[in-house]
């Protein structure tokens, strides 16, 4: 017969003691993993304390790593997240270590050891951080659904991978000269707006320009999920790029007899990548280290130089947080040189000569004040009329 402890008890099943207790009005049974009644009793008391504190999940013992990552996959599908490929890469690395683990076995210590092993494998810190983010998200989802009672602590992985590449206006011109004419507008638009090349600029359609001549990206299309707009009437440089694309599109439509929905295209076909063309053009232009994302970073710097308020600038380029925007708003050496020159100019201004104050003699001051009082008194006395 089971020995009772409050709402639970221990009983022998074969050679192992099992626990029986109530969770939210439902009976729960689990093995103590021991043939010692004292050990089973201590385990039962621990479980009862966890239940009382709301820190016990009945199915936690059954939850394993595959079930954890399935929660994350489902979350990505429901929310329409676009980084599915990166998620699967992270899951692959995590599975090498935790594929046979139950959720309870993925402890803080186990995670620290995982980070150490990945570091010894010379994995990039950003990759390790993405993998931990995946695992942390899995535990947060499990916690929200009551599948686990607690989650492990996750170490912080420092990442310092911020690039500092920029394009000047001259470098953009040099690159465009080496590109096919139908690709130049993509580069110029990336330089002017900071919009993402593959996910945003390539997907632009003529229907995105309304009757008020405003270019819009609909909500849900961008990486952040928020809409964006630029009035072309206020941005003549960008309007010129769009006008060139309109002329090119009209010519191709006349030649092919078809309607082309895309603003940027190759003879009517949508553009999916310009990687090869980019690499050839940058090498020919003498810009071997530049990448397309440097256009986005350059646009942020240009907004900073133009004095555009940060809240407005974030809305133009599509950064949701100040932290992300700040990673792009890097001050380069030319900005520093300009700032130092302004500081030097301020210090070169000759200050006016200070005026010299000479102390007056006390006796002289007293005599002057006395004469002034006598003069006022004599002026105040009425004059006597002469006797007739």
């Amino acid at each position: 017969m089971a020995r009772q402890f409050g709402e639970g008890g221990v009983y022998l099943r074969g050679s192992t003691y099992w626990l029986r207790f109530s969770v939210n009005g439902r009976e729960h049974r689990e093995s103590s993993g021991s043939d010692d009644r004292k050990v089973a009793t201590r385990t039962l008391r621990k479980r009862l304390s966890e239940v009382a504190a709301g820190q016990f999940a009945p199915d936690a013992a059954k939850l394993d790593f595959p079930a954890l990552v399935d929660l994350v996959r489902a979350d990505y599908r429901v929310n329409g997240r676009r980084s599915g490929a990166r998620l699967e890469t992270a899951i692959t690395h995590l599975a090498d270590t935790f594929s046979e683990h139950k959720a309870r076995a993925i402890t803080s210590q186990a995670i620290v050891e995982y980070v150490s092993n990945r570091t010894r494998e010379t994995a990039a810190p950003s990759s390790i951080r993405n993998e931990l983010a995946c695992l942390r998200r899995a535990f947060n989802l499990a916690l929200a659904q009551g599948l686990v009672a607690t989650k492990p602590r996750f170490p912080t992985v420092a990442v310092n991978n911020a690039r500092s590449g920029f394009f000047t206006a001259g470098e953009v011109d040099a690159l465009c000269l080496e590109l096919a004419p139908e690709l130049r507008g993509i580069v110029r638009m990336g330089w002017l707006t900071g919009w993402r090349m593959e996910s945003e600029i390539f997907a632009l359609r003529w229907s995105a320009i309304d009757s008020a001549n405003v270019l819009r990206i609909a909500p849900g299309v961008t990486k952040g999920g928020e809409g964006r707009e630029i009035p072309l009437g206020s941005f003549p440089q960008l309007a010129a790029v769009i006008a060139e694309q309109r002329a090119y599109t009209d010519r191709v439509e006349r030649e092919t007899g078809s309607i082309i929905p895309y603003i940027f295209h190759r003879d009517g076909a949508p553009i999916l990548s310009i990687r090869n063309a980019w690499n050839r053009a940058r090498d020919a232009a003498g810009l071997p280290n530049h990448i397309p994302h440097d256009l986005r970073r350059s646009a942020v710097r240009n907004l900073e130089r133009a004095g555009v308020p940060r809240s407005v600038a974030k809305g133009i380029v599509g950064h949701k947080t100040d932290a992300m925007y700040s990673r792009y708003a890097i001050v380069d050496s030319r900005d520093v040189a300009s700032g130092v020159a302004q500081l030097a100019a301020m210090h070169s201004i000759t200050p006016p000569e200070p005026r010299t104050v000479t102390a007056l003699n006390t006796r002289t001051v007293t005599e002057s004040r006395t004469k002034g009082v006598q003069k006022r008194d004599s002026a105040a006395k009425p004059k006597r009329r002469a006797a007739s």
Side-chain angles (χ1 to χ4, degrees):
M1 183 174 177
R3 184 179 176 186
Q4 301 297 319
F5 290 92
E7 297 180 354
V10 297
Y11 63 95
L12 193 62
R13 184 174 172 180
S15 60
T16 303
Y17 281 96
W18 278 64
L19 317 178
R20 180 191 60 77
F21 53 95
S22 177
V23 183
N24 298 325
R26 296 177 58 186
E27 186 179 69
H28 174 78
R29 296 172 183 263
E30 70 173 270
S31 171
S32 70
S34 174
D35 59 359
D36 188 329
R37 177 181 287 273
K38 292 182 179 179
V39 173
T41 300
R42 286 196 298 269
T43 305
L44 175 62
R45 287 172 175 162
K46 178 181 178 183
R47 291 286 181 268
L48 292 175
S49 298
E50 292 172 350
V51 171
Q55 298 176 345
F56 180 79
D59 298 323
K62 303 176 184 177
L63 190 67
D64 56 12
F65 174 81
L68 274 174
V69 297
D70 283 345
L71 293 175
V72 183
R73 290 191 177 106
D75 179 65
Y76 266 61
R77 288 193 299 269
V78 169
N79 292 287
R81 298 183 183 273
R82 297 174 175 270
S83 52
R86 186 167 65 182
L87 172 67
E88 292 302 324
T89 300
I91 290 174
T92 298
H93 288 294
L94 290 166
D96 290 341
T97 299
F98 299 121
S99 61
E100 304 296 329
H101 282 54
K102 295 290 187 180
R104 283 183 173 179
I106 305 176
T107 61
S108 300
Q109 182 59 38
I111 295 172
V112 170
E113 292 176 0
Y114 172 82
V115 172
S116 298
N117 291 335
R118 290 287 286 142
T119 302
R120 283 194 293 270
E121 294 171 2
T122 66
S126 57
S127 298
I128 300 174
R129 185 176 66 175
N130 290 338
E131 293 154 19
L132 294 187
C134 169
L135 191 59
R136 183 187 294 108
R137 180 60 178 163
F139 270 101
N140 286 338
L141 291 169
L143 194 63
Q145 297 180 28
L147 301 177
V148 295
T150 59
K151 67 177 182 179
R153 292 175 62 100
F154 285 79
T156 300
V157 179
V159 177
N160 185 20
N161 61 349
R163 287 180 54 88
S164 57
F166 296 98
F167 273 97
T168 64
E171 289 170 342
V172 170
D173 291 339
L175 181 67
C176 287
L177 287 176
E178 303 297 336
L179 286 168
E182 65 269 19
L183 302 180
R184 294 170 184 170
I186 294 172
V187 172
R188 293 197 181 281
M189 183 164 188
W191 152 260
L192 291 170
T193 66
W195 288 7
R196 298 175 180 90
M197 187 176 290
E198 294 189 359
S199 62
E200 296 173 357
I201 297 178
F202 288 176
L204 285 174
R205 294 172 177 256
W206 290 110
S207 57
I209 303 176
D210 64 14
S211 58
N213 205 27
V214 176
L215 177 63
R216 286 188 170 89
I217 300 181
V221 175
T222 64
K223 182 179 179 181
E226 297 179 348
R228 222 175 301 155
E229 64 179 44
I230 293 181
L232 297 176
S234 303
F235 205 165
Q237 296 86 349
L238 181 58
V241 172
I242 300 299
E244 290 179 5
Q245 287 301 121
R246 184 68 263 180
Y248 168 63
T249 302
D250 290 342
R251 178 173 62 80
V252 175
E253 287 181 338
R254 288 194 300 269
E255 294 174 353
T256 60
S258 60
I259 297 177
I260 301 172
Y262 297 100
I263 295 178
F264 299 99
H265 55 89
R266 286 190 180 99
D267 295 328
I271 296 174
L272 303 178
S273 174
I274 64 169
R275 184 184 301 274
N276 293 333
W278 175 281
N279 291 340
R280 289 193 297 268
R282 73 175 185 181
D283 292 341
L287 306 168
N289 297 320
H290 284 63
I291 62 174
H293 213 66
D294 290 340
L295 295 170
R296 182 168 169 80
R297 191 174 296 104
S298 300
V300 171
R301 186 184 65 177
N302 291 337
L303 287 164
E304 288 283 300
R305 286 177 169 178
V308 177
R310 182 158 291 195
S311 59
V312 176
K314 288 192 300 180
I316 293 174
V317 300
H319 283 139
K320 298 183 72 172
T321 65
D322 287 336
M324 180 55 69
Y325 183 90
S326 297
R327 290 191 65 197
Y328 284 71
I330 303 170
V331 180
D332 73 353
S333 58
R334 282 167 287 194
D335 293 328
V336 173
S338 176
V340 170
Q342 294 177 30
L343 181 64
M346 183 200 73
H347 285 296
S348 67
I349 298 175
T350 304
E353 292 292 333
R355 291 184 298 175
T356 303
V357 179
T358 304
L360 296 177
N361 185 280
T362 304
R363 179 179 178 183
T364 304
V365 172
T366 303
E367 292 176 352
S368 176
R369 288 177 178 173
T370 303
K371 290 179 180 180
V373 171
Q374 291 174 350
K375 183 180 289 186
R376 286 196 301 272
D377 290 343
S378 61
K381 290 180 180 180
K383 296 180 178 180
R384 290 184 179 182
R385 293 183 178 182
S388 56

